[in-house]
Amino acid sequence: MKLLTILGTRPQFITAATLSRAMHNSEACTDLILHTGQHYDSDMSDAFFEELKIIPPQYHLGIGGGTHGQNTGRMIEKIEEVLLQHNPLMSFLIIRHLQNEIYSNNCFD
């Protein structure tokens, strides 16, 4: 089962750590990690992957440095490319706002 985890900011890294390790250790799952690149400073990004033992992202979009609208548009475009390339069974978008929950989106046609 192919899964895609989408994350990009420090709170998302922390939330994704347990999920990522569990899926990485499962023979039934292939977990792809997509890092949007919103936190591009190594102290705000790479350090968390190392410290929390999250597998390195297979995709790093390098999004950052623009306006909120520009960054959102670029993220949607590049995330869609990865979704179309891999067609994962499920994608996880880690959101740490409002209710601090993990939302998932089935990717079935």
Side-chain angles (χ1 to χ4, degrees):
M1 173 171 36
K2 191 184 301 185
L3 306 170
L4 175 68
T5 302
I6 302 167
L7 43 82
T9 62
R10 181 182 62 222
Q12 296 166 345
F13 304 148
I14 294 166
T15 302
T18 302
L19 179 66
S20 173
R21 283 192 303 272
M23 288 192 290
H24 184 68
N25 292 326
S26 169
E27 292 182 21
C29 293
T30 301
D31 182 32
L32 302 170
I33 295 181
L34 183 149
H35 183 340
T36 61
Q38 292 162 269
H39 282 187
Y40 40 86
D41 181 285
S42 64
D43 290 337
M44 297 293 285
S45 180
D46 300 342
F48 285 94
F49 279 88
E50 294 168 15
E51 186 177 321
L52 297 171
K53 296 178 177 60
I54 303 171
I55 62 169
Q58 289 83 356
Y59 293 91
H60 194 290
L61 303 184
I63 304 295
T67 67
H68 180 75
Q70 290 169 335
N71 291 342
T72 301
R74 288 194 304 251
M75 276 188 260
I76 291 170
E77 183 177 45
K78 291 185 177 195
I79 289 168
E80 180 184 42
E81 290 174 9
V82 174
L83 288 169
L84 291 172
Q85 179 183 352
H86 289 283
N87 194 27
L89 176 64
M90 185 175 288
S91 62
F92 294 98
L93 173 60
I94 311 296
I95 300 176
R96 292 287 305 210
H97 299 285
L98 301 176
Q99 299 173 352
N100 295 330
E101 296 180 7
I102 297 175
Y103 294 89
S104 66
N105 174 38
N106 289 329
C107 296
F108 298 109
D109 288 327

